[in-house]
C-alpha cells in the first residue's frame, strides 16, 4: 500500500523510513534532533520529533509506534506512552515519547533510529446493546482461570 508522507526534516530526504529486510514489520523512525539529547534514568519522557508526517486517510488502518527491541531491552530506551497509536486522520509530525526506564544515562544522537512504526488494520466497531450475552466457553473467567500448565 502507499501512504502519503511529508518530509519535515530535509535531512531525511534520502533517508525515508524503510523496511530493513523483506520480512520486516517495522519502519524505523529517526530522531529529528539538532543536537544530542540526554535522557537521565527515570526522568519524565521527552517528546522527540521524527521529521516526518504521514496521513493514512483510510480509517481501516492505524499505525503503532513501538520500541526497538535492541534499544528497549539493552539500554532501557522505551516509550513514555508504552505504545503510540497514530490515528488514520492524524496529519501532524510523528512524535516519539522517549523514556529512559533503565539505570544508565542514554544519549540519543541526531537522526538515530529510536523507535519503529508498524501499520496495522483496524476495525471500527459499533455497539449492539443486549441484556445478556449468548453463553461462551469462557464466560467471565479470566486472570489465570485456565491455569498455567
Ligand atoms: O506516540 C505517539 C502517540 C500519538 N501521536 C499522535 C498521533 C495520534 O493520532 C495523536 C493522538 O494520539 P492519542 O489519541 O493516542 O492521544 P490522546 O491523548 O487521546 O490525544 P487526542 O485527544 O488528540 O486524541 O497523537 C504521536 O505522534 N506519537
Ligand atoms: Mg485520542
Amino acid at each position: 500500500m502507499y501512504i502519503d508522507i511529508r518530509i519535515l526534516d530535509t535531512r531525511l530526504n534520502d533517508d525515508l523510513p524503510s523496511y530493513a529486510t523483506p520480512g520486516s514489520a517495522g519502519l524505523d523512525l529517526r530522531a529529528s534532533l539538532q543536537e544530542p539529547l540526554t535522557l537521565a534514568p527515570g526522568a519524565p519522557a521527552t517528546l522527540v520529533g521524527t521529521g516526518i508526517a504521514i496521513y493514512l486517510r483510510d480509517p481501516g488502518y492505524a499505525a503503532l509506534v513501538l520500541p526497538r527491541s535492541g534499544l528497549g531491552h539493552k539500554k532501557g530506551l522505551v516509550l513514555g506512552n508504552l505504545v503510540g497509536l497514530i490515528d488514520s486522520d492524524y496529519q501532524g509530525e510523528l512524535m516519539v515519547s522517549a523514556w529512559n526506564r533503565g539505570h544508565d544515562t542514554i544519549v540519543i544522537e541526531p537522526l538515530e533510529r529510536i523507535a519503529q512504526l508498524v501499520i496495522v488494520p483496524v476495525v471500527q466497531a459499533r455497539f449492539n446493546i443486549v441484556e445478556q450475552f449468548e453463553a461462551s466457553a469462557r464466560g467471565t473467567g479470566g486472570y489465570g482461570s485456565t491455569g498455567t500448565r
Side-chain angles (χ1 to χ4, degrees), residues 5-18:
I5 185 168
R6 291 182 62 216
I7 303 170
L8 309 174
D9 181 338
T10 53
R11 294 172 298 175
L12 297 173
N13 277 344
D14 300 316
D15 232 349
L16 287 185
S18 63

Side-chain angles (χ1 to χ4, degrees), residues 18-126:
S18 63
Y19 295 104
T21 66
S24 291
L27 298 152
D28 285 345
L29 298 173
R30 295 181 186 274
S32 173
L33 293 169
Q34 297 303 324
E35 53 196 48
L37 173 67
T38 300
L39 301 175
T46 303
L47 263 190
V48 179
T50 63
I52 57 167
I54 61 168
Y55 179 34
L56 291 165
R57 188 183 282 110
D58 183 343
Y61 293 100
L64 302 178
V65 181
L66 300 175
R68 292 185 68 202
S69 50
L71 291 176
H73 179 68
K74 294 179 193 156
K75 286 191 173 181
L77 178 59
V78 293
L79 306 172
N81 47 356
L82 304 187
V83 174
L85 176 62
I86 311 301
D87 298 286
S88 67
D89 52 357
Y90 179 71
Q91 298 181 323
E93 182 175 12
L94 289 181
M95 304 297 291
V96 172
S97 173
W99 178 40
N100 179 358
R101 64 151 187 83
H103 297 290
D104 301 316
T105 296
I106 295 173
V107 178
I108 299 176
E109 299 294 335
L111 302 183
E112 189 177 337
R113 290 178 286 145
I114 55 167
Q116 55 186 329
L117 187 76
V118 180
I119 312 293
V120 293
V122 165
V123 174
Q124 277 188 343
R126 293 207 274 178

